[in-house]
Amino acid sequence: MGVNRHANPALRLFSVLVGSFLIAPILVVVPLSFTDKDSFEFPPRGWSLHYYERFFTDPAWREPLLASLKVAIMVTLMATIIGTLASFAITRSRRRGVAVLQGLLLAPMIVPNVIVALAIYTAFLRWGLVGTVEGLVLAHVVLALPFVVITVSAGLRTLDPRLERAAASLGASPLATFRLVTLPLIAPGVMSGAVFAFVTSFDEAVISLYLQSPHLRTLPVQMFTSVTSDVDPTIAAGSTVILVVTTALILLPDFLKRRAPQ
Amino acid sequence: MTDMRGAAIRLSSVTKRYSEHQPPVVNDVCLEIAAGEFITLLGPSGSGKSTTLNMIAGFEQLTAGDILIDGVSVASLPPYKRGLGMVFQHYALFPHMTIAQNVAFPLQQRKMRKRDIQRRVDDVLDLVGLAHLRDRLPGQISGGQAQRVALARAVVFEPHVLLMDEPLGALDKKLREQLQGEIARMHRELGITFIFVTHDQEEALALSDRIAVFEGGRIEQVGTAQELYARPASLFAAEFLGESNVFHGMITERRGRVSLVGEGFEVLTDDGRAGLVGTAGVVVVRPERIRLTVGDVAVEHDVNAMTATVTHIVYQGSYRKVAFRTDAGTTGSAREPAGAESSAMPGDRVTLCWRVGDGVIVPAQSVPVVGLPGDALVESTS
Ligand SMILES: Nc1ncnc2c1ncn2[C@@H]1O[C@H](COP(=O)(O)OP(=O)(O)O)[C@@H](O)[C@H]1O
Ligand SMILES: [Mg+2]
């Protein structure tokens, strides 16, 4: 991201203020997670890694972490594949129904999550999907699809269509063309979409709250329950882990792009 | 690069319509292309050249008609099974592969052995003189080099036909001429059929065995450059290829000779197209066929003479172009080679002379497109 060094100083000050206002509260959890007390005292007076140990070993935290990872990985795979295929339909088809399809796919981004959650909950109650991993994965895929569709469609729209024609004229079947030409060229978009899909699922709380069961509880649900019922700094350790992981993931495609030739 | 040979191609009433409500973009095109021939589809932008080429390549479906390669219909074959080489205007090299990988691509698709691929890639890169760039990416080479790589990639798998859609359109004039030379050389050396699309008449004249002139989705005329230049079949073909003097009038026949009678003048020809007698027509005379003399001259037998005024003169190196307006009101020009100029200057009264055999009669309008509202009127009154 380029920073304009000659930007108006007032504008820079304003940006720094807004940035701090948004980010500072999040960063508060980082020192909190290293406390040695059983409280949210800020700033902490003594330091320890006690709550990290607890976060990774106590089943009350470890199970939700594993559940979240499992769900997020499945969501990433499904949403990336389905979203990439859907993007092809949306950008390539000349049919009229395509605009409707695109609208439907992107709708979960606009419709408030609570409403989506309620709708999914009532439907899943009938289908017996509440409290199941399958149900949770399906619901998260719906939420994650828009991100994949947006990033992959953008990549497909900027792809020179003559490259695929050239591949065909050189004897490549549609499948070979996709594998050897199209996919490598839209890979950055697919990558970003996959990261967004993972993060969307990994920190989704609302739908997961509705669909939880005693045997299936994701990390955000556990954190929500923890923060509303007891005073347990483990949540700060968990938050810090999530913060680091998601930040790293979001920066990953940019990092890969910079390392790639050209 | 041994053993390559061209394939014969036949377009039989090829028609393409994108929409029911619009006239066809390619309309009943029939064309026989001989094996090993270099044929150019020449025409203005939007005349349907690319669409025709894309139907041969298989990128566009035919609305009607058929395409045969060596006598076998390919109309229902997908492009990757047609085995034709193709070069695009903007190179269409794969940006994520090196030059060598780009050229190897068609061979890998044909499941050739690694060692053979390597050898063939080296051979063909040598052929286009780019072996030293084999490990570069397409983004790191110039436009002229990129188009050479595209050519190499399109012929490395020894196709029987090479299709090219304005391959030199994105290059500057000097590179264009240089690559024209290389394309001509490749055609000679490979012996395969070349189908070349361009809107540039000079390019068409320089390269082709035959030229098909496209206009409005139809072929106006097919022939060698000389045939097209000397015997244009339509006003469009005459004006698109080279410069022309155009005289409008009625075609009449008198004492066995066809002539054109305009307002205040008559042009004699020995053109035998009796079918046009009695219709509005045009006589086309190429500028270098017109001889200019200042003042009056004695009219010889079998020569047309017309008085005119010189309007202006343009020097173009090896010749000069003398623009005139005849007394009857037709504007045109004559071309005089350097060293053999008349002394005509702007404002001079001159006599234009050309031999009767140098005028070509064509219909005033090209063949009407069936189905347009205006034609019904013409047809019902004629
Ligand atoms: N996909 C398409 N849909 C509708 N019309 C098209 C399409 N492709 C080309 N055309 C039209 O077909 C005509 C011929 O196009 P084209 O074959 O590209 O001409 P040329 O190559 O001679 O410039 C043009 O009028 C163009 O607008
Ligand atoms: Mg074109």
Side-chain angles (χ1 to χ4, degrees):
Chain A
M1 264 154 256
V3 176
N4 186 349
R5 287 174 205 290
H6 307 291
N8 184 337
L11 178 65
R12 290 178 66 173
L13 181 66
F14 181 72
S15 309
V16 169
L17 280 177
V18 171
S20 328
F21 187 75
L22 290 174
I23 294 169
I26 301 176
L27 293 182
V28 166
V29 304
V30 179
L32 264 186
S33 68
F34 292 103
T35 186
D36 61 352
K37 300 266 165 27
D38 192 8
S39 79
F40 285 133
E41 184 186 18
F42 187 85
R45 266 179 252 162
W47 307 96
S48 85
L49 288 173
H50 171 67
Y51 289 106
Y52 282 90
E53 186 194 340
R54 193 148 153 217
F55 179 70
F56 287 113
T57 53
D58 181 352
W61 287 97
R62 209 184 57 169
E63 294 300 325
L65 173 64
L66 292 179
S68 273
L69 281 175
K70 187 163 123 188
V71 169
I73 288 170
M74 287 198 276
V75 168
T76 305
L77 285 175
M78 281 180 71
T80 307
I81 293 171
I82 299 172
T84 302
L85 296 179
S87 303
F88 264 87
I90 287 167
T91 51
R92 297 290 164 83
S93 173
R94 289 179 198 167
R95 294 193 193 197
R96 237 179 274 151
V98 161
V100 179
L101 174 69
Q102 182 173 15
L104 276 176
L105 275 171
L106 299 186
M109 254 175 105
I110 301 148
V111 180
N113 265 5
V114 202
I115 296 175
V116 177
L118 187 61
I120 287 180
Y121 181 65
T122 26
F124 279 17
L125 263 185
R126 287 187 173 205
W127 300 338
L129 285 172
V130 173
T132 64
V133 173
E134 294 87 341
L136 200 54
V137 168
L138 283 180
H140 282 184
V141 165
V142 169
L143 289 189
L145 271 177
F147 296 100
V148 180
V149 169
I150 286 173
T151 55
V152 177
S153 305
L156 279 174
R157 287 207 179 89
T158 55
L159 182 74
D160 182 351
R162 277 169 301 217
L163 294 177
E164 289 175 339
R165 289 194 164 187
S169 79
L170 298 170
S173 67
L175 198 64
T177 302
F178 177 77
R179 197 167 52 84
L180 299 171
V181 176
T182 315
L183 196 56
L185 291 174
I186 61 167
V190 175
M191 218 20 217
S192 307
V195 166
F196 277 118
F198 184 90
V199 174
T200 302
S201 165
F202 195 69
D203 74 10
E204 201 286 327
V206 183
I207 293 180
S208 308
L209 261 175
Y210 276 85
L211 297 184
Q212 69 169 320
S213 76
H215 315 290
L216 178 62
R217 177 182 272 198
T218 63
L219 192 54
V221 172
Q222 165 61 19
M223 292 169 84
F224 185 75
T225 321
S226 158
V227 84
T228 48
S229 55
D230 34 54
V231 178
D232 178 2
T234 315
I235 192 174
S239 303
T240 307
V241 171
I242 296 178
L243 198 63
V244 170
V245 171
T246 50
T247 309
L249 278 178
I250 298 280
L251 294 180
L252 181 69
D254 212 37
F255 175 73
L256 289 180
K257 212 185 300 170
R258 225 168 279 188
R259 277 197 12 166
Q262 295 178 281
Chain B
M1 305 282 102
T2 53
D3 249 25
M4 286 176 79
R5 53 165 208 98
I9 295 183
R10 183 162 154 206
L11 309 188
S12 156
S13 297
V14 168
T15 299
K16 176 72 185 181
R17 229 177 233 286
Y18 282 109
S19 146
E20 308 250 316
H21 319 292
Q22 278 157 11
V25 163
V26 174
N27 193 353
D28 197 27
V29 163
C30 297
L31 186 61
E32 299 266 359
I33 303 168
E37 187 174 19
F38 194 130
I39 192 157
T40 296
L41 314 185
L42 173 69
S45 170
S47 57
K49 311 177 298 287
S50 294
T51 307
T52 304
L53 199 73
N54 286 334
M55 285 190 283
I56 299 174
F59 300 134
E60 297 285 359
Q61 297 295 308
L62 281 74
T63 309
D66 201 359
I67 294 176
L68 299 107
I69 299 181
D70 277 342
V72 180
S73 170
V74 295
S76 55
L77 274 186
Y80 70 98
K81 288 189 179 156
R82 295 197 187 186
L84 311 176
M86 179 138 184
V87 177
F88 301 79
Q89 177 171 4
H90 293 283
Y91 327 131
L93 297 178
F94 306 128
H96 58 301
M97 300 181 194
T98 65
I99 302 312
Q101 285 168 341
N102 263 280
V103 177
F105 185 88
L107 303 178
Q108 281 158 353
Q109 294 312 306
R110 284 164 178 76
K111 308 269 179 289
M112 200 180 262
R113 275 195 323 217
K114 251 206 173 110
R115 239 178 331 125
D116 297 339
I117 291 181
Q118 171 114 32
R119 206 187 27 147
R120 286 275 279 280
V121 168
D122 289 344
D123 282 354
V124 79
L125 281 178
D126 275 337
L127 179 73
V128 295
L130 292 180
H132 58 293
L133 297 178
R134 63 194 320 285
D135 295 321
R136 296 266 191 96
L137 287 168
Q140 302 165 331
I141 62 178
S142 73
Q145 291 169 336
Q147 199 55 294
R148 283 197 193 96
V149 174
L151 273 166
R153 186 180 67 173
V155 299
V156 70
F157 60 96
E158 307 190 341
H160 296 169
V161 180
L162 182 61
L163 311 175
M164 289 177 273
D165 194 351
E166 314 231 1
L168 311 180
L171 304 173
D172 61 48
K173 191 165 164 26
K174 197 152 168 253
L175 260 174
R176 220 163 42 221
E177 280 168 10
Q178 199 177 331
L179 267 152
Q180 275 177 20
E182 286 192 33
I183 289 174
R185 179 172 62 94
M186 280 177 98
H187 180 246
R188 277 195 310 274
E189 287 180 10
L190 301 177
I192 63 177
T193 311
F194 276 36
I195 307 181
F196 188 94
V197 163
T198 183
H199 65 265
D200 181 343
Q201 50 151 317
E202 283 178 33
E203 209 164 273
L205 293 171
L207 290 170
S208 326
D209 294 328
R210 281 195 309 154
I211 298 170
V213 180
F214 272 67
E215 160 66 356
R218 288 174 171 278
I219 293 185
E220 289 267 319
Q221 190 175 4
V222 190
T224 64
Q226 292 90 324
E227 279 165 10
L228 292 183
Y229 191 75
R231 293 274 139 197
S234 69
L235 187 53
F236 177 84
E239 297 197 309
F240 196 74
L241 220 78
E243 285 179 54
S244 320
N245 292 294
V246 174
F247 300 94
H248 290 268
M250 287 299 292
I251 300 168
T252 51
E253 188 169 0
R254 223 177 282 164
R255 274 177 281 127
R257 166 158 273 173
V258 178
S259 70
L260 178 104
V261 179
E263 278 180 44
F265 68 91
E266 178 170 9
V267 178
L268 300 176
T269 74
D270 63 0
D271 198 329
R273 282 186 233 183
L276 294 172
V277 170
T279 65
V282 169
V283 168
V284 174
V285 187
R286 298 296 187 183
E288 68 277 10
R289 298 294 180 186
I290 293 184
R291 207 173 65 241
L292 266 170
T293 319
V294 180
D296 293 327
V297 288
V299 178
E300 299 163 39
H301 187 60
D302 274 353
V303 168
N304 283 297
M306 214 176 265
T307 49
T309 308
V310 175
T311 53
H312 60 273
I313 291 176
V314 182
Y315 288 93
Q316 295 185 317
S318 56
Y319 63 90
R320 67 172 202 162
K321 185 173 139 181
V322 181
F324 56 76
R325 170 186 284 275
T326 68
D327 294 352
T330 305
T331 56
S333 67
R335 181 185 285 211
E336 300 185 317
E341 305 104 322
S342 63
S343 53
M345 295 309 275
D348 283 355
R349 300 272 306 151
V350 292
T351 303
L352 317 173
C353 295
W354 69 92
R355 299 166 53 80
V356 166
D358 288 337
V360 179
I361 292 186
V362 297
Q365 248 88 50
S366 46
V367 187
V369 179
V370 182
L372 289 182
D375 298 329
L377 206 73
V378 175
E379 272 165 352
S380 63
T381 52
S382 63

